[in-house]
Amino acid sequence: MNRWKKRALSLSALLLAAAAVLLVFSLQPEIVPVTPPPASQFSAEQIARGKTLSALGDCSVCHTRAGGPRDAGGLAFETQFGTIYSSNITPDVETGIGNWSYPAFKRAMRYGINRQGHYLYPAFPYTSFTLSRDDDLQDLYAWLMVQPAVNYRPPRTELHFPFSIRQGMFAWNWLYLKPGPAPVNTQQSEEWNRGAYLGEGLGHCSACHSPRNLAGAEKGGSQHLSGGSAEGWSAPALNAHSPAPIVWNHQQLVAFMRNGYAASHGVATGPMAPVITDGLSQLPENDVQAIATWLTSFQPPWPDHGKEIGTQAGQQMMQADSPGARQFSGSCMACHAQNTGPTLYGVRPSLLLNSNLYSDSPDNLIRIVLDGIPHPATPGLGTMPGFRYQLTNQQIAVLLNYLRTDLAQRASWPDLGDRVEAIRQQTEAKP
Ligand code: HEC
Ligand code: HEC
Ligand code: HEC
């Protein structure tokens, strides 16, 4: 045998051995099934706390398919690796987590491994949930275990090879999972720590608001909370890179998280809306205040130019005469005029102060103009009609280009008309 062949052979032997070692280490034991714990095992306070934690974690947002029973799973998540379906997390013994002991539940939340010993995909944000303390996980478990059991088996998740091999998550976890609970930051106040605990842990803000690498893991360090995406929407940076023309302050963040609307920023429209409706708006006031304290600590100390921008833009909007400006006054002005007249319907978000105008991506604006806002984050905000059938791609592009260049004074987005067409097609099925 020549030298090269020998080398190739020993290399493959080495690779095989490595694969075998990986396999052995990645095997996780099944945790024995239990008979579902009786409701009497949990106190009413514990269950109530668990309910709030479940709201914060958006469990039902992801575990309920359209029109399906709450928490029974089956909602599809399209990822670049294939479609992942959320699991049934009702206490059904056959199809849900009814026979999961607390240690089995804790292992799923902290290490992303289910009762049967299978690795879970990070579409389930266990990389954030892992930071939760044991007492909170116990309360969450109590709440889930006293919910109505639903017998329903979600469709099977089958990703493209090699991601179809769940064992591969062993390596992924080794690289990207930092198991909790979260350490306390002694440099910061108690309130800041509470906010960080809620936002980084069950609140999983970074799951959408941080960019991800090719392996689908959140980028950390200075990229943490520097903007990401969710379901085709872009989630703006929440740190110093925030595109918002006015710095987010504590009071505005609290308003946004409670009501889905902050006067100097705007409304929650896309995937952020359910995060508020079913999550943040259900939290005790103190907790929302704490999250705001944590988030404001990342904001740069800019001066607040808000009022000035507002008046300037109001005037500009009245004066401008261009195809885009005319389109705006025809289609949008009735509800979005600046500082003039009474607000007749819902809130009147100032488009000028809206982060979407300052973002690198026009996608959120395109989506809002095409389909409107049929489901406001909280009822008082009103709904906005969609313009899918009223405006052509070209008209939408001209209109958005006007908002972008005249109002926001930013360089125009390239190929806007093509982008409108692409998003129109992507969203055609869901009116
Ligand atoms: C962003 C969407 C999302 C959120 C939020 C979410 N989950 Fe999930 N969860 C999933 C998906 C998707 C799966 C399936 C993962 C897989 O098949 O690998 C899953 C799986 C699970 C599993 C494993 C079940 C099993 O039978 O293997 C448990 C337990 C679970 N989630 C509990 C929760 C709890 C509790 C919350 C709220 C604190 C929550 N999830 C919030 C998406 C989510
Ligand atoms: C019938 C009134 C109405 C018309 C017409 C209207 N909007 Fe709206 N718009 C609203 C309301 C109400 C909201 C807030 C809805 C909510 O949050 O539930 C809103 C929200 C928005 C938002 C989200 C702002 C933010 O803070 O994220 C954008 C962007 C927007 N509108 C753009 C437009 C554009 C562009 C047009 C014209 C093509 C238009 N709107 C026409 C009522 C209207
Ligand atoms: C499921 C994904 C998702 C999660 C989880 C999420 N967000 Fe968002 N968020 C978005 C998206 C997308 C937008 C922008 C479009 C919209 O309103 O949906 C947004 C917008 C925001 C905005 C407005 C930013 C601006 O400049 O206009 C704030 C503030 C915000 N989110 C805070 C939070 C906080 C705090 C958390 C955690 C407690 C959180 N988000 C969790 C997806 C998410």
Side-chain angles (χ1 to χ4, degrees):
M1 213 187 304
N2 73 30
R3 224 171 70 206
W4 295 110
K5 267 195 186 156
K6 259 194 195 158
R7 277 209 182 158
L9 259 180
S10 51
L11 187 68
S12 16
L14 200 72
L15 280 176
L16 261 176
V21 169
L22 203 68
L23 189 75
V24 169
F25 274 103
S26 64
L27 287 178
Q28 297 293 338
E30 174 177 355
I31 294 180
V32 285
V34 295
T35 32
S40 58
Q41 189 181 310
F42 310 110
S43 73
E45 295 78 39
Q46 196 179 16
I47 293 168
R49 285 195 304 266
K51 181 181 183 182
T52 309
L53 295 167
S54 145
L56 174 65
D58 301 325
C59 314
S60 302
V61 175
C62 286
H63 283 275
T64 309
R65 65 190 185 283
R70 193 159 58 84
D71 289 348
L75 186 67
F77 291 84
E78 312 290 344
T79 74
Q80 75 242 57
F81 312 110
T83 306
I84 302 176
Y85 294 92
S86 60
S87 324
N88 181 341
I89 57 167
T90 70
D92 184 57
V93 174
E94 212 187 355
T95 59
I97 61 169
N99 59 12
W100 286 37
S101 59
Y102 170 69
F105 177 71
K106 176 175 158 178
R107 183 171 72 170
M109 297 293 282
R110 190 149 297 151
Y111 302 103
I113 297 163
N114 75 5
R115 188 195 65 74
Q116 294 83 343
H118 301 146
Y119 285 85
L120 296 164
Y121 295 117
F124 164 47
Y126 65 92
T127 46
S128 300
F129 293 167
T130 185
L131 299 175
S132 309
R133 291 187 314 260
D134 282 24
D135 56 334
D136 279 345
L137 290 180
Q138 259 153 1
D139 293 347
L140 192 50
Y141 177 75
W143 161 254
L144 290 172
M145 284 302 169
V146 302
Q147 296 312 299
V150 178
N151 190 275
Y152 165 78
R153 204 178 293 283
R156 252 182 94 86
T157 292
E158 278 168 33
L159 300 193
H160 318 306
F161 185 81
F163 310 107
S164 50
I165 305 174
R166 285 184 179 265
Q167 228 99 328
M169 290 305 299
F170 169 75
W172 194 96
N173 287 344
W174 183 70
L175 288 168
Y176 303 118
L177 173 68
K178 292 186 195 70
V184 170
N185 183 337
T186 50
Q187 311 287 310
Q188 299 282 359
S189 69
E190 201 178 309
E191 192 187 33
W192 187 97
N193 272 289
R194 173 78 183 150
Y197 173 74
L198 297 170
E200 302 280 25
L202 282 173
H204 67 285
C205 314
S206 67
C208 299
H209 286 277
S210 287
R212 291 179 184 262
N213 65 19
L214 285 177
E218 286 170 31
K219 295 185 183 172
S222 61
Q223 307 253 54
H224 186 60
L225 296 177
S226 68
S229 63
E231 300 152 48
W233 291 74
S234 63
L238 298 179
N239 62 9
H241 300 291
S242 162
I246 296 186
V247 173
W248 280 96
N249 67 22
H250 191 269
Q251 177 228 333
Q252 293 282 308
L253 274 168
V254 170
F256 187 83
M257 288 190 275
R258 291 224 78 88
N259 311 314
Y261 173 60
S264 56
H265 294 273
V267 288
T269 46
M272 191 60 203
V275 170
I276 286 168
T277 316
D278 301 326
L280 297 170
S281 68
Q282 313 286 316
L283 297 191
E285 182 73 28
N286 286 352
D287 283 349
V288 178
Q289 298 272 355
I291 298 177
T293 298
W294 162 66
L295 272 182
T296 31
S297 71
F298 306 125
Q299 294 294 312
W302 292 340
D304 216 320
H305 285 310
K307 272 227 158 79
E308 227 175 296
I309 298 180
T311 16
Q312 270 173 15
Q315 276 158 12
Q316 239 161 31
M317 274 182 158
M318 311 307 291
Q319 288 160 7
D321 185 27
S322 65
R326 281 195 293 276
Q327 190 71 62
F328 183 82
S329 41
S331 306
C332 325
M333 193 77 126
C335 302
H336 289 289
Q338 303 279 322
N339 309 327
T340 46
T343 304
L344 298 175
Y345 178 67
V347 292
R348 182 183 296 190
S350 156
L351 296 188
L352 176 77
L353 301 180
N354 189 211
S355 290
N356 291 322
L357 254 57
Y358 303 83
S359 158
D360 291 341
S361 151
D363 291 10
N364 290 1
L365 283 175
I366 296 173
R367 284 169 183 270
I368 293 169
V369 172
L370 282 175
D371 291 323
I373 306 178
H375 307 291
T378 55
L381 302 179
T383 55
M384 169 174 149
F387 291 84
R388 179 178 289 270
Y389 304 109
Q390 283 78 6
L391 299 178
T392 64
N393 296 339
Q394 194 49 34
Q395 286 172 317
I396 295 178
V398 167
L399 169 60
L400 293 185
N401 190 53
Y402 157 72
L403 294 178
R404 170 77 170 176
T405 55
D406 279 40
L407 279 195
Q409 313 262 315
R410 291 291 195 277
S412 51
W413 284 299
D415 308 319
L416 197 49
D418 294 348
R419 194 64 203 146
V420 178
E421 173 59 17
I423 294 184
R424 187 190 281 274
Q425 278 180 15
Q426 273 168 34
T427 51
E428 202 78 70
K430 8 179 181 152

